[in-house]
Amino acid sequence: MFRFPDLPINVVKPKEPVEAKIVESKICTLESSPNFIRHIVIDVSGTPLVGQFKAGQSIGVVAPGVDADGKPHKVRLYSVSSPSGGEGGNPNLVTTTVKRVVDENWETQELFTGVCSNYLCSKKAGDTLMISGPSGKRFILPENKEECNYVFFATGTGIAPFRAFLLDLFNSGFKGQVALCFGTPYRTDLLYHKWLTELAEKHENFHYFTAISREGRRADGTKTYVQHLVLDHKDVLEPILAADNTLMYICGLEGMEAGIYSNLASMGLYDYMKPGKNILDKPNTEWTWSDFKENVKPSDRTMVEVY
Ligand code: FAD
Ligand code: NAP
Protein backbone atom coordinates (compact mmCIF):
# COMPACT_ATOMS: atom_id res chain seq x y z
CA MET A 1 0.00 0.00 0.00
CA PHE A 2 2.84 2.40 0.83
CA ARG A 3 5.37 2.82 -2.00
CA PHE A 4 8.45 4.93 -1.34
CA PRO A 5 10.59 6.47 -4.09
CA ASP A 6 14.29 5.60 -4.30
CA LEU A 7 15.65 9.15 -4.05
CA PRO A 8 19.22 9.98 -5.06
CA ILE A 9 21.49 10.93 -2.16
CA ASN A 10 24.90 12.59 -1.94
CA VAL A 11 24.76 14.02 -5.45
CA VAL A 12 27.33 16.33 -3.85
CA LYS A 13 29.47 14.49 -1.32
CA PRO A 14 30.26 16.06 2.07
CA LYS A 15 34.02 15.81 1.33
CA GLU A 16 33.57 17.78 -1.91
CA PRO A 17 30.96 20.43 -0.99
CA VAL A 18 29.88 23.09 -3.47
CA GLU A 19 29.42 26.82 -2.98
CA ALA A 20 25.88 28.12 -2.53
CA LYS A 21 24.55 31.57 -1.64
CA ILE A 22 22.28 32.76 1.16
CA VAL A 23 19.29 34.60 -0.30
CA GLU A 24 17.42 35.37 2.91
CA SER A 25 17.69 34.67 6.63
CA LYS A 26 14.87 35.63 8.96
CA ILE A 27 13.73 34.81 12.48
CA CYS A 28 10.81 32.38 12.29
CA THR A 29 9.68 32.10 15.93
CA LEU A 30 6.22 33.48 16.62
CA GLU A 31 7.46 36.38 18.70
CA SER A 32 10.81 37.47 20.08
CA SER A 33 12.14 34.49 22.00
CA PRO A 34 15.26 33.48 23.92
CA ASN A 35 15.66 30.81 21.23
CA PHE A 36 17.12 32.16 18.01
CA ILE A 37 15.68 30.17 15.12
CA ARG A 38 15.98 31.22 11.50
CA HIS A 39 14.30 30.35 8.23
CA ILE A 40 17.23 30.37 5.81
CA VAL A 41 16.84 30.43 2.02
CA ILE A 42 19.80 29.08 0.03
CA ASP A 43 20.39 29.48 -3.72
CA VAL A 44 22.03 26.41 -5.27
CA SER A 45 21.96 27.64 -8.87
CA GLY A 46 24.96 26.59 -10.97
CA THR A 47 25.56 23.51 -8.78
CA PRO A 48 24.51 19.86 -9.29
CA LEU A 49 22.07 20.39 -6.39
CA VAL A 50 19.45 22.26 -8.45
CA GLY A 51 16.10 20.49 -7.98
CA GLN A 52 17.69 17.68 -5.94
CA PHE A 53 16.42 18.33 -2.39
CA LYS A 54 13.09 16.63 -1.72
CA ALA A 55 10.84 17.16 1.30
CA GLY A 56 12.15 15.14 4.26
CA GLN A 57 15.77 15.12 3.09
CA SER A 58 18.61 17.14 4.60
CA ILE A 59 21.29 19.56 3.47
CA GLY A 60 24.89 19.00 4.56
CA VAL A 61 26.71 22.11 5.79
CA VAL A 62 30.43 22.21 6.37
CA ALA A 63 31.64 25.03 8.64
CA PRO A 64 35.12 26.37 7.87
CA GLY A 65 38.01 25.77 10.27
CA VAL A 66 39.05 22.85 12.40
CA ASP A 67 37.75 21.10 15.51
CA ALA A 68 39.51 20.63 18.87
CA ASP A 69 41.60 17.80 17.35
CA GLY A 70 42.77 20.01 14.48
CA LYS A 71 40.61 18.12 11.95
CA PRO A 72 38.26 19.91 9.50
CA HIS A 73 34.79 20.27 10.99
CA LYS A 74 32.46 17.39 10.21
CA VAL A 75 29.40 17.97 8.09
CA ARG A 76 26.19 18.87 10.00
CA LEU A 77 22.76 18.03 8.60
CA TYR A 78 19.84 20.47 8.36
CA SER A 79 16.37 19.36 7.27
CA VAL A 80 14.92 20.85 4.16
CA SER A 81 11.85 22.95 5.00
CA SER A 82 11.03 23.85 1.38
CA PRO A 83 8.76 21.78 -0.84
CA SER A 84 10.22 19.21 -3.25
CA GLY A 85 9.95 21.62 -6.21
CA GLY A 86 12.01 24.24 -4.35
CA GLU A 87 10.94 27.26 -2.30
CA GLY A 88 8.11 29.07 -4.09
CA GLY A 89 8.41 26.48 -6.89
CA ASN A 90 11.95 27.64 -7.77
CA PRO A 91 14.24 24.57 -8.03
CA ASN A 92 17.28 26.79 -7.34
CA LEU A 93 16.02 27.64 -3.85
CA VAL A 94 16.13 25.34 -0.83
CA THR A 95 15.30 26.37 2.73
CA THR A 96 16.07 25.11 6.19
CA THR A 97 15.14 26.05 9.76
CA VAL A 98 18.10 26.44 12.08
CA LYS A 99 18.37 26.99 15.82
CA ARG A 100 21.49 28.59 17.29
CA VAL A 101 22.87 26.03 19.73
CA VAL A 102 23.91 27.94 22.85
CA ASP A 103 24.76 26.07 26.01
CA GLU A 104 26.56 26.44 29.30
CA ASN A 105 29.13 23.87 30.27
CA TRP A 106 27.91 22.99 33.76
CA GLU A 107 31.37 22.01 34.98
CA THR A 108 33.49 24.87 33.63
CA GLN A 109 30.61 27.41 33.50
CA GLU A 110 31.88 28.42 30.07
CA LEU A 111 29.49 29.49 27.36
CA PHE A 112 29.41 26.99 24.51
CA THR A 113 28.18 28.00 21.06
CA GLY A 114 27.57 25.22 18.54
CA VAL A 115 29.95 25.44 15.59
CA CYS A 116 27.76 25.02 12.56
CA SER A 117 24.38 26.32 13.73
CA ASN A 118 25.97 29.65 14.73
CA TYR A 119 28.02 29.78 11.52
CA LEU A 120 24.82 29.29 9.54
CA CYS A 121 22.63 31.66 11.57
CA SER A 122 25.23 34.45 11.32
CA LYS A 123 25.23 34.30 7.51
CA LYS A 124 23.48 37.19 5.78
CA ALA A 125 21.88 37.56 2.36
CA GLY A 126 24.66 37.52 -0.26
CA ASP A 127 27.07 35.44 1.86
CA THR A 128 28.26 32.11 0.52
CA LEU A 129 28.63 28.73 2.22
CA MET A 130 29.71 25.18 1.35
CA ILE A 131 27.00 22.55 1.18
CA SER A 132 26.46 18.93 0.19
CA GLY A 133 23.57 16.52 -0.16
CA PRO A 134 20.87 15.50 -0.38
CA SER A 135 20.97 13.23 2.66
CA GLY A 136 18.21 10.84 3.76
CA LYS A 137 16.25 8.10 2.00
CA ARG A 138 13.59 6.98 4.47
CA PHE A 139 12.00 10.06 6.09
CA ILE A 140 10.08 11.00 2.94
CA LEU A 141 6.52 10.94 1.64
CA PRO A 142 5.37 7.87 -0.30
CA GLU A 143 5.06 7.97 -4.09
CA ASN A 144 1.29 7.56 -3.76
CA LYS A 145 1.11 10.37 -1.19
CA GLU A 146 -2.43 11.38 -2.09
CA GLU A 147 -3.73 7.90 -1.15
CA CYS A 148 -2.54 8.13 2.49
CA ASN A 149 -3.32 10.03 5.68
CA TYR A 150 -0.63 11.44 7.94
CA VAL A 151 0.03 12.18 11.59
CA PHE A 152 3.13 14.29 12.16
CA PHE A 153 4.88 14.85 15.53
CA ALA A 154 7.49 17.62 15.80
CA THR A 155 9.45 19.24 18.60
CA GLY A 156 11.34 22.50 18.01
CA THR A 157 13.20 22.63 14.70
CA GLY A 158 11.85 19.13 14.03
CA ILE A 159 9.03 21.11 12.35
CA ALA A 160 11.27 21.75 9.30
CA PRO A 161 10.44 18.60 7.29
CA PHE A 162 6.75 18.97 8.10
CA ARG A 163 6.61 22.44 6.55
CA ALA A 164 8.05 20.78 3.44
CA PHE A 165 5.61 17.83 3.55
CA LEU A 166 2.59 20.08 4.09
CA LEU A 167 3.60 22.27 1.15
CA ASP A 168 4.04 19.17 -1.03
CA LEU A 169 0.65 17.81 0.03
CA PHE A 170 -1.46 20.96 -0.21
CA ASN A 171 0.28 22.30 -3.33
CA SER A 172 -1.02 19.20 -5.08
CA GLY A 173 -4.59 19.40 -3.78
CA PHE A 174 -4.33 16.77 -1.01
CA LYS A 175 -7.76 15.48 0.04
CA GLY A 176 -6.85 12.96 2.78
CA GLN A 177 -6.48 13.69 6.50
CA VAL A 178 -3.30 15.19 7.96
CA ALA A 179 -2.62 16.19 11.56
CA LEU A 180 0.39 18.00 12.98
CA CYS A 181 1.26 17.82 16.69
CA PHE A 182 3.94 20.43 17.46
CA GLY A 183 5.74 20.92 20.77
CA THR A 184 7.80 23.92 21.88
CA PRO A 185 8.94 25.22 25.28
CA TYR A 186 7.04 28.53 25.09
CA ARG A 187 4.33 29.94 22.85
CA THR A 188 6.88 32.41 21.50
CA ASP A 189 8.88 29.47 20.10
CA LEU A 190 6.16 28.20 17.77
CA LEU A 191 7.67 28.14 14.28
CA TYR A 192 5.70 29.00 11.14
CA HIS A 193 2.69 29.30 13.48
CA LYS A 194 0.79 31.93 11.49
CA TRP A 195 1.13 29.95 8.29
CA LEU A 196 0.13 26.70 10.00
CA THR A 197 -2.90 28.33 11.64
CA GLU A 198 -4.03 29.78 8.32
CA LEU A 199 -3.49 26.44 6.59
CA ALA A 200 -5.73 24.75 9.17
CA GLU A 201 -8.39 27.44 8.69
CA LYS A 202 -8.27 26.97 4.93
CA HIS A 203 -8.25 23.16 4.86
CA GLU A 204 -10.72 21.19 6.96
CA ASN A 205 -8.59 18.08 6.43
CA PHE A 206 -5.54 19.67 8.17
CA HIS A 207 -5.56 19.53 11.98
CA TYR A 208 -2.96 21.59 13.86
CA PHE A 209 -2.33 21.03 17.58
CA THR A 210 0.35 22.52 19.82
CA ALA A 211 1.91 21.40 23.11
CA ILE A 212 3.58 24.19 25.08
CA SER A 213 5.74 22.53 27.70
CA ARG A 214 6.77 25.35 30.04
CA GLU A 215 3.56 27.30 30.37
CA GLY A 216 1.19 25.71 32.81
CA ARG A 217 1.04 22.13 33.99
CA ARG A 218 -1.24 19.15 33.35
CA ALA A 219 -3.64 17.99 36.06
CA ASP A 220 -1.00 15.54 37.35
CA GLY A 221 1.64 18.31 37.59
CA THR A 222 3.65 17.22 34.51
CA LYS A 223 4.47 19.24 31.39
CA THR A 224 2.41 19.01 28.23
CA TYR A 225 4.43 17.24 25.55
CA VAL A 226 3.49 16.33 21.98
CA GLN A 227 2.69 12.76 22.96
CA HIS A 228 -0.10 14.06 25.24
CA LEU A 229 -1.86 15.53 22.22
CA VAL A 230 -2.77 11.99 21.14
CA LEU A 231 -4.92 11.78 24.27
CA ASP A 232 -6.00 15.44 24.41
CA HIS A 233 -7.27 15.37 20.79
CA LYS A 234 -8.32 11.74 20.67
CA ASP A 235 -11.60 12.64 18.93
CA VAL A 236 -9.69 13.87 15.88
CA LEU A 237 -6.52 11.77 16.00
CA GLU A 238 -7.85 8.33 16.87
CA PRO A 239 -9.94 7.86 13.69
CA ILE A 240 -7.03 9.05 11.53
CA LEU A 241 -4.54 6.79 13.31
CA ALA A 242 -6.94 3.84 13.15
CA ALA A 243 -7.21 4.02 9.34
CA ASP A 244 -5.16 1.42 7.42
CA ASN A 245 -3.70 4.01 5.05
CA THR A 246 -2.20 6.33 7.69
CA LEU A 247 1.53 6.95 8.11
CA MET A 248 3.11 8.48 11.22
CA TYR A 249 6.22 10.69 11.17
CA ILE A 250 8.23 11.81 14.24
CA CYS A 251 10.97 14.46 14.09
CA GLY A 252 12.90 16.30 16.78
CA LEU A 253 13.90 15.26 20.28
CA GLU A 254 14.47 11.58 20.97
CA GLY A 255 12.48 11.55 24.21
CA MET A 256 9.10 11.90 22.53
CA GLU A 257 9.24 8.62 20.60
CA ALA A 258 8.58 6.23 23.51
CA GLY A 259 5.88 8.55 24.87
CA ILE A 260 4.06 8.47 21.53
CA TYR A 261 4.18 4.65 21.33
CA SER A 262 3.03 4.37 24.90
CA ASN A 263 0.00 6.62 24.37
CA LEU A 264 -0.89 4.91 21.08
CA ALA A 265 -0.71 1.53 22.82
CA SER A 266 -3.09 2.79 25.51
CA MET A 267 -5.58 3.28 22.65
CA GLY A 268 -4.85 -0.17 21.16
CA LEU A 269 -2.99 1.30 18.16
CA TYR A 270 -0.07 -1.13 17.90
CA ASP A 271 0.40 -0.99 14.11
CA TYR A 272 2.87 1.90 14.36
CA MET A 273 5.40 -0.03 16.46
CA LYS A 274 7.41 -3.23 16.47
CA PRO A 275 8.29 -4.96 19.72
CA GLY A 276 11.93 -5.99 20.22
CA LYS A 277 12.62 -9.63 21.06
CA ASN A 278 13.15 -8.74 24.73
CA ILE A 279 9.45 -8.18 25.35
CA LEU A 280 7.83 -10.65 22.99
CA ASP A 281 7.13 -13.02 25.85
CA LYS A 282 4.91 -10.38 27.55
CA PRO A 283 1.36 -9.56 26.39
CA ASN A 284 1.41 -6.06 24.88
CA THR A 285 -1.13 -4.89 27.44
CA GLU A 286 1.58 -5.39 30.08
CA TRP A 287 4.37 -3.41 28.40
CA THR A 288 5.78 -0.76 30.71
CA TRP A 289 7.06 2.70 29.79
CA SER A 290 10.63 1.40 29.93
CA ASP A 291 9.63 -1.41 27.53
CA PHE A 292 8.49 1.26 25.07
CA LYS A 293 11.71 3.18 25.57
CA GLU A 294 14.12 0.29 25.31
CA ASN A 295 12.43 -2.41 23.25
CA VAL A 296 9.85 -0.92 20.93
CA LYS A 297 10.96 0.18 17.47
CA PRO A 298 9.08 1.92 14.65
CA SER A 299 7.03 -0.26 12.29
CA ASP A 300 6.93 0.21 8.50
CA ARG A 301 4.16 2.77 9.01
CA THR A 302 6.32 4.99 11.22
CA MET A 303 9.13 7.26 10.03
CA VAL A 304 11.44 8.59 12.71
CA GLU A 305 14.22 11.19 12.78
CA VAL A 306 15.05 11.99 16.37
CA TYR A 307 18.25 13.08 18.11
P1 FAD B 1 28.15 21.36 17.86
O1 FAD B 1 29.32 22.25 17.87
O2 FAD B 1 28.20 20.14 17.02
O3 FAD B 1 27.74 20.98 19.34
C1 FAD B 1 26.66 20.06 19.55
C2 FAD B 1 26.39 19.87 21.03
O4 FAD B 1 27.52 19.39 21.69
C3 FAD B 1 25.98 21.12 21.74
O5 FAD B 1 24.59 21.17 21.79
C4 FAD B 1 26.54 20.97 23.12
O6 FAD B 1 25.51 20.49 23.97
C5 FAD B 1 27.57 19.88 23.02
N1 FAD B 1 28.95 20.35 23.28
C6 FAD B 1 30.00 20.08 22.49
N2 FAD B 1 31.12 20.65 22.98
C7 FAD B 1 30.76 21.29 24.11
C8 FAD B 1 31.48 22.08 25.06
N3 FAD B 1 32.76 22.33 24.95
N4 FAD B 1 30.78 22.60 26.10
C9 FAD B 1 29.45 22.37 26.23
N5 FAD B 1 28.74 21.63 25.35
C10 FAD B 1 29.38 21.10 24.30
N6 FAD B 1 19.23 21.31 13.55
C11 FAD B 1 18.49 22.41 13.25
O7 FAD B 1 18.64 23.47 13.89
N7 FAD B 1 17.60 22.40 12.21
C12 FAD B 1 17.40 21.31 11.44
O8 FAD B 1 16.58 21.33 10.52
C13 FAD B 1 18.17 20.13 11.75
N8 FAD B 1 18.01 19.02 11.02
C14 FAD B 1 18.74 17.90 11.32
C15 FAD B 1 18.57 16.76 10.53
C16 FAD B 1 19.28 15.62 10.82
C17 FAD B 1 19.08 14.38 9.95
C18 FAD B 1 20.21 15.63 11.90
C19 FAD B 1 21.02 14.41 12.22
C20 FAD B 1 20.39 16.75 12.66
C21 FAD B 1 19.66 17.91 12.38
N9 FAD B 1 19.84 19.09 13.10
C22 FAD B 1 19.09 20.19 12.82
C23 FAD B 1 20.92 19.20 14.13
C24 FAD B 1 22.22 19.76 13.44
O9 FAD B 1 22.72 18.81 12.51
C25 FAD B 1 23.34 20.04 14.43
O10 FAD B 1 23.57 18.88 15.19
C26 FAD B 1 23.05 21.20 15.38
O11 FAD B 1 22.84 22.41 14.64
C27 FAD B 1 24.24 21.42 16.32
O12 FAD B 1 25.38 21.61 15.56
P2 FAD B 1 26.49 22.67 15.98
O13 FAD B 1 27.65 22.49 15.04
O14 FAD B 1 25.91 24.04 16.08
O15 FAD B 1 26.86 22.20 17.43
P1 NAP C 1 13.10 22.94 21.58
O1 NAP C 1 12.75 24.22 20.94
O2 NAP C 1 13.89 22.95 22.83
O3 NAP C 1 11.73 22.16 21.81
C1 NAP C 1 11.71 20.87 22.29
C2 NAP C 1 10.38 20.63 22.97
O4 NAP C 1 10.27 19.25 23.27
C3 NAP C 1 10.30 21.38 24.29
O5 NAP C 1 9.00 21.81 24.52
C4 NAP C 1 10.71 20.30 25.28
O6 NAP C 1 10.19 20.54 26.58
C5 NAP C 1 10.04 19.12 24.66
N1 NAP C 1 10.54 17.86 25.19
C6 NAP C 1 11.61 17.62 26.00
N2 NAP C 1 11.67 16.32 26.34
C7 NAP C 1 10.62 15.72 25.74
C8 NAP C 1 10.13 14.39 25.74
N3 NAP C 1 10.72 13.41 26.43
N4 NAP C 1 9.02 14.12 25.04
C9 NAP C 1 8.39 15.09 24.34
N5 NAP C 1 8.78 16.38 24.31
C10 NAP C 1 9.89 16.69 25.00
O7 NAP C 1 13.78 21.96 20.52
P2 NAP C 1 15.12 22.13 19.72
O8 NAP C 1 16.19 22.71 20.57
O9 NAP C 1 14.82 22.78 18.40
O10 NAP C 1 15.51 20.62 19.47
C11 NAP C 1 14.97 19.88 18.44
C12 NAP C 1 15.86 18.64 18.20
O11 NAP C 1 15.50 18.09 16.94
C13 NAP C 1 17.35 18.92 18.14
O12 NAP C 1 17.99 17.88 18.85
C14 NAP C 1 17.67 18.82 16.65
O13 NAP C 1 18.98 18.37 16.42
C15 NAP C 1 16.68 17.81 16.18
N6 NAP C 1 16.26 17.94 14.77
C16 NAP C 1 16.31 16.83 14.01
C17 NAP C 1 15.89 16.93 12.69
C18 NAP C 1 15.95 15.72 11.83
O14 NAP C 1 16.42 14.74 12.25
N7 NAP C 1 15.47 15.78 10.60
C19 NAP C 1 15.41 18.10 12.17
C20 NAP C 1 15.36 19.20 12.99
C21 NAP C 1 15.78 19.10 14.31
P3 NAP C 1 11.06 21.04 27.85
O15 NAP C 1 12.39 21.48 27.33
O16 NAP C 1 10.25 22.14 28.44
O17 NAP C 1 11.14 19.86 28.76
Side-chain angles (χ1 to χ4, degrees), residues 235-299:
D235 54 332
V236 174
L237 294 174
E238 190 173 34
I240 303 176
L241 286 159
D244 290 345
N245 59 337
T246 299
L247 290 167
M248 182 169 86
Y249 291 69
I250 304 175
C251 186
L253 290 183
E254 191 180 10
M256 70 175 143
E257 193 184 350
I260 292 168
Y261 296 145
S262 170
N263 285 344
L264 292 185
S266 75
M267 292 153 68
L269 297 164
Y270 285 96
D271 283 357
Y272 296 92
M273 59 196 92
K274 259 194 323 220
K277 59 179 176 343
N278 291 351
I279 54 166
L280 280 175
D281 48 349
K282 254 194 209 181
N284 54 23
T285 47
E286 288 173 24
W287 294 352
T288 62
W289 198 87
S290 66
D291 286 331
F292 285 106
K293 195 164 164 52
E294 282 148 38
N295 300 307
V296 175
K297 300 282 170 250
S299 76

Side-chain angles (χ1 to χ4, degrees), residues 79 99 155-158 183-185 213-214 223 225-227 251-253 255-256 305 307:
S79 291
K99 178 177 178 176
T155 52
T157 49
T184 58
S213 59
R214 300 187 197 167
K223 291 177 176 181
Y225 282 156
V226 279
Q227 55 267 36
C251 186
L253 290 183
M256 70 175 143
E305 267 197 7
Y307 298 93

Side-chain angles (χ1 to χ4, degrees), residues 6-187:
D6 186 18
L7 296 181
I9 56 165
N10 289 327
V11 173
V12 171
K13 294 186 177 62
K15 287 224 161 88
E16 295 160 13
V18 292
E19 190 177 270
K21 195 180 264 186
I22 303 281
V23 173
E24 192 183 358
S25 174
K26 60 177 186 203
I27 292 280
C28 58
T29 45
L30 179 58
E31 290 171 32
S32 67
S33 156
N35 290 312
F36 303 109
I37 307 175
R38 290 186 162 268
H39 176 75
I40 299 176
V41 186
I42 302 169
D43 184 351
V44 297
S45 53
T47 79
L49 293 170
V50 175
Q52 292 291 336
F53 289 105
K54 304 299 175 201
Q57 292 189 304
S58 300
I59 310 164
V61 179
V62 187
V66 291
D67 62 20
D69 299 327
K71 296 197 175 127
H73 286 301
K74 290 200 178 75
V75 65
R76 265 63 160 193
L77 297 177
Y78 294 91
S79 291
V80 167
S81 51
S82 44
S84 297
E87 185 75 345
N90 181 344
N92 291 318
L93 300 182
V94 60
T95 74
T96 184
T97 314
V98 185
K99 178 177 178 176
R100 282 186 189 271
V101 169
V102 179
D103 216 343
E104 185 192 52
N105 185 316
W106 290 357
E107 282 164 14
T108 65
Q109 287 183 230
E110 276 167 17
L111 184 69
F112 171 79
T113 49
V115 172
C116 196
S117 58
N118 285 283
Y119 164 74
L120 205 41
C121 285
S122 295
K123 291 264 169 205
K124 299 190 179 83
D127 288 348
T128 57
L129 77 166
M130 302 306 285
I131 66 169
S132 62
S135 170
K137 269 183 130 31
R138 163 103 176 116
F139 197 85
I140 53 176
L141 291 177
E143 258 163 15
N144 52 337
K145 61 180 187 301
E146 64 291 342
E147 292 168 23
C148 307
N149 304 304
Y150 304 90
V151 177
F152 299 148
F153 291 94
T155 52
T157 49
I159 193 73
F162 299 129
R163 177 182 186 267
F165 288 156
L166 288 167
L167 284 164
D168 270 12
L169 290 171
F170 286 107
N171 284 350
S172 57
F174 181 67
K175 296 280 179 279
Q177 294 293 316
V178 54
L180 168 67
C181 298
F182 183 23
T184 58
Y186 300 100
R187 259 172 294 182

